[in-house]
Amino acid sequence: MNELPISPQIQVLPGREALVGALSVRRTLPTRGRRTVGSWCFVDHMGPAQLDPEISVDVAPHPHIGLQTVTWLFSGEFLHKDSLGSEQLISPGQLNLMGAGNGVVHAEEDPNYHRGTLHGMQLWLAQPESTRKSPSTFQHLPSVPKFEIGNASGQVIVGRFADQQSPALLDTPTVGVELNLRYGPTILPLEKSFEYALVVAEGAVLVEGKVVAPGALAYLGSTRDEIALEVTEPTRVVLLGGEPLQEKLLMWWNFVARTQEEISAAYQDWVSNDERFGAVNSQFERIPVTPPIWFK
Ligand code: MN
């Protein structure tokens, strides 16, 4: 008798609200019950927020180690500045990808004098041993590949999807896709060796009998070669996937590492203004931080 492949159950995991500067975000990774999806280790869904001249959404200079930041906007603009000297405006459909490696500092500033709507995603990818202690990097893509599939149009933010390859330089086997779903069903092709999750930015999607809306992470598991999505209203989702991580991460504040000693060293270097992190040309003061609980 042939064994039937066991399709993993969808898990809909609630995220939580957080504040980044004055900007309200929905943090859906890490969340209770799930720390990573492939190398994806952090998912913040920002807005949509009406910008207000009284409220700053600027994110002041802060450091990172051991991760790649993926900035992807649905509306609005951000000005990225970092300690490599990059100053890069990002608009919807464009990608900012920063590899922190051994250390980087960056700021995200509102270039539009606090008008309009800001809506997007700030995502982190854990870097593997081969790059996590390397010099920092920054890549801007003015556009990424677009595709049509079923009742959806999409953009390949990073990785490969639907025969389209994003030119983003990744450190791990990873995919990230924006999908704009129209009324009706859409079947997405998946890699069996990847695990996947869906985050809804607007609208709601029906996946294997479960309704997923903004604020939650729908974990799809691995070993699937496709997934069917259905919507009854225009819906924007981000599909995240990658090869499951084989190592355990230690995340603290803006640092992704493996041990407390690594985190403590990065904390010490940041608060002592060590040249490890460099400087960023920003009108804002560095974000202050209290030490990790184990720090002596
Ligand atoms: Mn950051």
Side-chain angles (χ1 to χ4, degrees), residues 131-202:
T131 53
R132 72 185 189 93
K133 292 173 181 171
S134 300
S136 52
T137 58
F138 178 74
Q139 186 186 18
H140 172 78
L141 298 182
S143 66
V144 298
K146 295 180 170 65
F147 63 91
E148 291 284 328
I149 190 167
N151 290 296
S153 55
Q155 299 183 71
V156 186
I157 305 168
V158 297
R160 184 172 185 81
F161 191 83
D163 296 326
Q164 301 283 329
Q165 177 73 48
S166 165
L169 300 171
L170 295 179
D171 297 340
T172 51
T174 297
V175 68
V177 175
E178 177 186 330
L179 288 158
N180 285 279
L181 300 149
R182 300 178 292 270
Y183 179 78
T186 296
I187 293 172
L188 304 178
L190 302 179
E191 287 285 336
K192 277 188 165 180
S193 62
F194 279 16
E195 58 180 347
Y196 289 92
L198 277 175
V199 180
V200 177
E202 288 174 81

Side-chain angles (χ1 to χ4, degrees), residues 219-273:
Y219 179 69
L220 310 180
S222 60
T223 71
R224 295 174 187 273
D225 55 15
E226 60 181 33
I227 189 94
L229 307 181
E230 186 147 12
V231 300
T232 56
E233 58 181 310
T235 293
R236 190 198 306 264
V237 306
V238 172
L239 175 72
L240 303 173
E243 278 184 8
L245 267 189
Q246 299 303 324
E247 43 189 344
K248 203 160 186 283
L249 305 178
L250 183 61
M251 289 175 59
W252 178 84
W253 193 40
N254 295 308
F255 302 147
V256 175
R258 305 293 183 271
T259 65
Q260 291 186 350
E261 289 69 28
E262 289 173 355
I263 299 276
S264 294
Y267 166 77
Q268 184 65 55
D269 291 341
W270 173 246
V271 295
S272 65
N273 286 306

Side-chain angles (χ1 to χ4, degrees), residues 36-96:
T36 53
V37 177
S39 295
W40 298 104
C41 61
F42 182 91
V43 175
D44 262 5
H45 173 207
M46 311 177 278
Q50 292 304 314
L51 300 182
D52 180 329
E54 303 298 315
I55 301 171
S56 168
V57 296
D58 306 281
V59 182
H62 60 279
H64 288 292
I65 65 166
L67 59 92
Q68 287 184 293
T69 62
V70 172
T71 307
W72 181 255
L73 298 180
F74 309 122
S75 51
E77 288 182 322
F78 250 144
L79 181 62
H80 166 95
K81 295 178 174 179
D82 66 37
S83 49
L84 290 157
S86 319
E87 286 208 19
Q88 179 64 57
L89 190 69
I90 182 175
S91 301
Q94 305 186 335
L95 172 67
N96 277 358

Side-chain angles (χ1 to χ4, degrees), residues 107-152:
E108 306 275 359
E109 299 181 0
D110 172 8
N112 277 338
Y113 313 103
H114 311 286
R115 287 194 298 263
T117 302
L118 185 65
H119 189 200
M121 296 261 179
Q122 174 73 249
L123 311 160
W124 297 355
L125 286 163
Q127 288 181 301
E129 285 306 319
S130 56
T131 53
R132 72 185 189 93
K133 292 173 181 171
S134 300
S136 52
T137 58
F138 178 74
Q139 186 186 18
H140 172 78
L141 298 182
S143 66
V144 298
K146 295 180 170 65
F147 63 91
E148 291 284 328
I149 190 167
N151 290 296

